[in-house]
Amino acid sequence: MKVTTMRAGLAAALLTTALLAACESGPDGSVADGISTSSGASAPVGASSVARAASGPTVLGFQPQGLYAPAAPSAAIGGERYQPFDANPVRLAAEHPVSTFSVDVDTGSYSNVRRLLNAGEMPPADAVRVEEMINYFDYGYVRPTDREAPFAVTTEVARTPWNPDSYLLQIGIKGYDIDRASRPPANLVFLVDVSGSMHSADKLPLLVQSLKMLTDQLTAADRIAIVTYSGRAGVALETTPGDRKAEIRTVLDGLQAGGATAGGDGLQRAYALAEQARIDGGVNRVLLATDGDFNVGISDVDRLKELISAKRDGGITLTTLGFGTGNYNEALMEQIADLGNGNYAYIDGLAEARKVLVNEMSSTLFTIARDVKIQVEFNPAVIAEYRLVGFENRLLKRADFNNDKVDAGEIGAGHTVTALYEIVPAGGRTAVDPLRYGGAAAGPATPDTAEFAFLKLRYKLPGQAASILMQQPLAASRLASAGSGTPSADLRFAAAVAAFGQILRGGRHTGSFDYDDVLTLARDARGDDPLGYRAGFLTLVDLAKGLDGS
């Protein structure tokens, strides 16, 4: 099996029009349509894993006349809210040879799924985004050394563990890292939810401890402010040098939960402080820490979208940190982080807080490439069909790839991003029967069978308006060698995580591959695991096996 690498830069695109109406909740906790809910205390979370609102569209969007009308109040009042989506379908290469998407650096889905499993609940299907499960883990991809080419790309091909008739194409991206001494100064505004819903131990108390961990990493060159919101927004700490840690910690210790949730007002106040303390050439970011319950304040979708987009375009980004259970609004947390050119993480304990805010601080805060897009063209002469595993809410139109006005995602320093395609060679056993009368012609696809696909990457360097294009052909000979070679441990582990995520979503594409198969594959590929993240994955699979009864 041949592994190839190339220098490049690209980051995940974001769908800015979906599900921002999650912020529009009524006094009884009901939410706009397009959100699947799972109840808190009244019913098991997993009971609504495949539920969809019967009184409205399953995906919120924009009609020519405006927003969809709200659905009837959810039966799971105060329940958790997730964005509904269906898994990517199998595509015939002759009919749809081009696949375009933006990479996703979020990891919140994995830690949220972990929280649910540890609580003895099977996660709702919509809580499982397979690409975020995969990208929770670091992989041993080649590291770039030049900031002008901010990341290296590694590709690998191997037999699919759950389907002997197909192959997995792995596209791995590794961003360059920076040491703490050379990190640019950061201007951070902590936007902290202190509403009544944040009272429990897994919310505000954990949030305070998490932000203390981040505070401990700051220096005199950094700036920090704290804005709180409940019934109204207020400034708990004006912009303060990062080395005044005792003062910052005292303010954090004094935070108490109570009141409604004026999230929109708090967001406006936080952006204003970030603007006043802007550091040219530094990191300017708002960190929103909440259970996602925006009941009071900006509830108009267009206003919220315009605010976050305008501040993003002005250089102030938004990271969301999710906390808690019962009424957690995961749909909102993920969507507004994407819109704000930041990342979304779910904090289910102090270990995860340390991972996100200490070990991966540079990745969380420092962007090395913007508007990163991937486009893969499959050669129909070699590939019969393909399927992108995950990234369902990151798909782009083909023309979006070359359009620098189309917003996409970002990659932070040291970030690892992995995308997997399941592909079936021409002449192989396919999921889709060939057409009796031939169907659409392959068009201008090259008859050259030396290539099975052509990979293109686009990204922008920070501060640049024009994107940079990287491209590389993928040799068809790699399919033959992949059939007899041994995949790398990283690809095998990524495949195990991908299989687990798909099984949690119902296993539509994984056949008879089960939890035991996932455990066998992951154990053999665990490799060097100094922080125990991969060992923790094995524990989760075992928990799911017991809870699912499979």
Side-chain angles (χ1 to χ4, degrees), residues 15 18-19 34-36 49-52 58-60 82-88 109 124-132 330 334-335 389-395 501 505 508:
L15 300 177
L19 285 184
I35 307 292
S36 68
S49 63
V50 294
R52 296 290 186 271
T58 58
V59 179
L60 183 69
Y82 299 95
Q83 177 187 0
F85 66 95
D86 294 320
N88 289 324
S109 179
D126 292 328
V128 183
R129 289 184 295 278
V130 178
E131 77 278 7
E132 293 187 26
E330 203 252 14
E334 190 226 357
Q335 292 294 320
V389 181
F391 295 94
E392 284 84 1
N393 63 355
R394 307 289 177 146
L395 301 180
R505 287 191 54 81
R508 177 180 177 184

Side-chain angles (χ1 to χ4, degrees), residues 39 72 88-89 92 100 159 180 209 224 238 260 271 352 385 412 505-506:
S39 65
N88 289 324
L92 290 174
T100 308
R159 285 282 188 185
R180 296 181 186 274
Q209 292 300 113
I224 186 172
E238 296 285 354
Y271 276 131
E352 185 66 13
E385 64 186 23
R505 287 191 54 81

Side-chain angles (χ1 to χ4, degrees), residues 105-108 110-111 114 132-139 180 210 213-214 217 321 343-365 413-416 529 531-534:
V105 300
D106 294 341
T107 61
Y110 181 85
S111 50
R114 178 176 61 199
E132 293 187 26
M133 302 281 287
I134 297 170
N135 288 319
Y136 183 85
F137 301 94
D138 190 24
Y139 301 96
R180 296 181 186 274
S210 300
M213 288 185 179
L214 177 56
Q217 311 307 308
L321 304 175
N343 51 310
Y344 155 64
Y346 179 82
I347 308 298
D348 61 337
L350 289 178
E352 185 66 13
R354 184 168 183 80
K355 178 180 185 290
V356 173
L357 300 176
V358 178
N359 299 342
E360 299 174 0
M361 179 184 177
S362 295
S363 301
T364 301
L365 299 181
H415 258 146
T416 296
D529 185 30
L531 297 177
Y533 297 146
R534 295 192 178 191

Side-chain angles (χ1 to χ4, degrees), residues 3-10 141-146 148-156 169-176 372-376 401 453-459 468-474 478:
V3 180
T4 62
T5 62
M6 66 179 169
R7 303 285 180 191
L10 61 96
Y141 300 140
V142 172
R143 293 176 177 269
T145 58
D146 185 358
E148 295 304 310
F151 47 78
V153 177
T154 300
T155 61
E156 185 175 353
L169 165 62
Q170 180 189 42
I171 301 171
I173 300 169
K174 183 68 175 181
Y176 77 81
V372 185
K373 307 169 187 175
I374 292 180
Q375 188 169 83
V376 181
F401 183 76
F454 195 70
L455 172 63
K456 295 194 292 185
L457 317 169
R458 267 196 191 280
Y459 68 97
I468 299 170
L469 174 66
M470 299 288 299
Q471 51 191 9
Q472 175 186 338
L474 302 179
R478 297 173 64 187

